[in-house]
Amino acid sequence: MARSARTAGRTSPLRTIQKDLLSLASVPRESVQALLLLAARLKDMQRRGKPHAWLAGRTIGLLFQKASTRTRVSFEVGMNQLGGQALFLPIGDIQLSRGESIADTARVLSRYLDGLVIRTYDQTIVEEWAREATVPVINGLTDLHHPCQALSDLLTIQEKKGRLKALRLAYVGDGNNMTNSLIEAAVKVGMSVSCGCPKGYQPDSTVVEQARQEAAKTGSAIELSDDPEVAVKDADIVYTDVWISMGQEREQARRLKAFSDYQVNERLMKRARPDAIVMHCLPAHRGEEISAKVLDGPQSVVLDQAENRLHMQKAILVELVRPLGRAQT
């Protein structure tokens, strides 16, 4: 079982496997379920105004190379609601920008902080932080993975659909970090994924191959296509993301041309199930990857999806950042 108000002194499922959250591939299925239960409980406690200062006296650092709205705010507010605090540390403002090594910085910050959230470009960078730090390291986003967002998305889908197993999630557009983490998350809970991505923009092949091994154990399926209509057919969830991610601005013209037929719009949504929900991790570019009518329409759950970043972030923090004492009931 996950740590709860009554079991805060026990070792959490995540901590018995790893001290860090770098991707979802190595997170056990039971830990994903435990995080979903804990996030739902924390959300209920917040809405009822019930105190849950379980990380009082603890401090995390947020080291960001990339711009952020939801990741930064959800972790800062989450730590505050859990009784702790978060320090925002733009990498350009610390000595890393003047040549200090990740190793030295990680070792020093481990003496001050109880956890680190890293938001950067290359996955190898967050992995180096994890190797060198002696406190938990959480991947707040890299070009390869976005595990916190994908876990939050599972929470939203579970709330809207009442279950996760045997649902069909269709992803349309760029096979990016979001696609990779959604695939990893979905197969953990028995959900199938169908991706409609242009040739040359498919999800990471290593991620897909590893996820297929997990899917064989949970009864999931992973389908890759370059046809968005095939991907969306009979989908319970239709998901998309921006076509031009941070760091890809120089590719704008080429990408806009490659993805011109991959917009999630009213015509495409007719291929999905009538009760399908629409998801987007935001920020969104209306008129590019998604039409305004769909993003702002009745099937869209993007605001609930964004809110759930807060509740899942809190669950991750409770699991990975050891409390000073027993949690409050």
Side-chain angles (χ1 to χ4, degrees):
M1 296 294 292
R3 174 170 42 251
S4 67
R6 294 185 296 276
T7 61
R10 302 179 189 174
T11 303
S12 74
L14 279 174
R15 193 171 292 120
T16 61
I17 302 300
Q18 56 190 32
K19 75 173 178 65
D20 309 305
L21 176 58
L22 306 183
S23 74
L24 294 177
S26 60
V27 178
R29 294 192 296 275
E30 59 269 23
S31 292
V32 172
Q33 295 291 351
L35 283 169
L36 289 168
L37 288 170
L38 182 55
R41 181 179 182 190
L42 287 164
K43 182 174 184 176
D44 179 67
M45 293 180 75
Q46 178 187 321
R47 291 191 167 182
R48 290 190 291 115
K50 188 172 183 180
H52 48 282
W54 298 353
L55 295 181
R58 309 309 263 174
T59 304
I60 63 166
L62 308 178
L63 284 89
F64 286 18
Q65 273 187 304
K66 288 188 172 186
S68 173
T69 300
R70 282 149 291 275
T71 301
R72 176 181 175 178
V73 174
S74 57
F75 271 112
E76 288 194 10
V77 173
M79 273 303 282
N80 181 272
Q81 292 180 356
L82 289 166
Q85 62 179 325
L87 299 178
F88 183 61
L89 302 170
I91 289 180
D93 291 352
I94 60 178
Q95 295 295 343
L96 272 174
S97 64
R98 300 182 64 248
E100 185 170 21
S101 68
I102 288 177
D104 287 345
T105 309
R107 293 165 188 166
V108 169
L109 291 180
S110 295
R111 302 290 183 103
Y112 301 147
L113 302 171
D114 303 294
L116 291 162
V117 181
I118 311 295
R119 186 175 172 92
T120 187
Y121 290 90
D122 199 294
Q123 180 71 14
T124 60
I125 295 174
V126 76
E127 291 171 357
E128 183 177 358
W129 278 98
R131 284 195 305 271
E132 301 296 343
T134 58
V135 296
V137 171
I138 298 168
N139 180 356
L141 176 142
T142 65
D143 289 343
L144 187 61
H145 294 290
H146 201 353
C148 296
Q149 177 71 58
L151 287 168
S152 303
D153 293 336
L154 291 184
L155 178 63
T156 304
I157 295 168
Q158 185 168 266
E159 288 177 347
K160 300 301 179 181
K161 294 295 184 180
R163 62 187 173 94
L164 293 168
K165 190 172 179 60
L167 291 176
R168 179 180 173 88
L169 184 152
Y171 182 93
V172 176
D174 186 19
N176 58 15
N177 52 2
M178 197 64 254
T179 326
N180 294 334
S181 288
L182 282 171
I183 290 170
E184 291 180 335
V187 298
K188 299 283 183 180
V189 297
M191 186 188 306
S192 294
V193 182
S194 178
C195 298
C197 308
K199 293 178 180 178
Y201 297 94
Q202 296 284 332
D204 183 83
S205 58
T206 300
V207 168
V208 172
E209 182 57 35
Q210 292 177 343
R212 281 195 165 125
Q213 297 175 27
E214 184 79 18
K217 303 173 186 176
T218 60
S220 303
I222 302 171
E223 301 171 7
L224 303 182
S225 169
D226 61 0
D227 188 336
E229 294 194 2
V230 171
V232 169
K233 182 175 172 54
D234 297 328
D236 299 287
I237 306 105
V238 178
Y239 202 118
T240 191
D241 192 9
V242 294
W243 293 341
I244 304 160
S245 297
M246 288 176 282
Q248 298 173 340
E249 289 79 8
R250 292 182 179 180
E251 304 173 31
Q252 179 171 348
R254 177 165 59 86
R255 283 177 166 269
L256 288 176
K257 181 178 180 181
F259 293 111
S260 60
D261 294 328
Y262 289 79
Q263 184 185 89
V264 175
N265 50 37
E266 291 176 292
R267 178 188 59 78
L268 188 64
M269 286 302 299
K270 291 179 180 178
R271 301 279 295 175
R273 295 177 62 87
D275 62 347
I277 59 174
V278 175
M279 303 185 77
H280 191 307
C281 57
L282 300 180
H285 296 156
R286 290 168 175 82
E288 289 186 11
E289 73 274 5
I290 191 167
S291 68
K293 285 187 176 181
V294 171
L295 184 67
D296 302 318
Q299 291 174 277
S300 174
V301 299
V302 296
L303 294 181
D304 295 313
Q305 186 183 355
E307 178 192 340
N308 280 337
R309 291 294 304 278
L310 171 63
H311 309 300
M312 181 53 72
Q313 256 54 318
K314 287 162 67 175
I316 292 167
L317 289 167
V318 169
E319 288 293 351
L320 286 179
V321 179
R322 189 181 300 275
L324 287 170
R326 292 186 63 83
Q328 298 178 13
T329 57

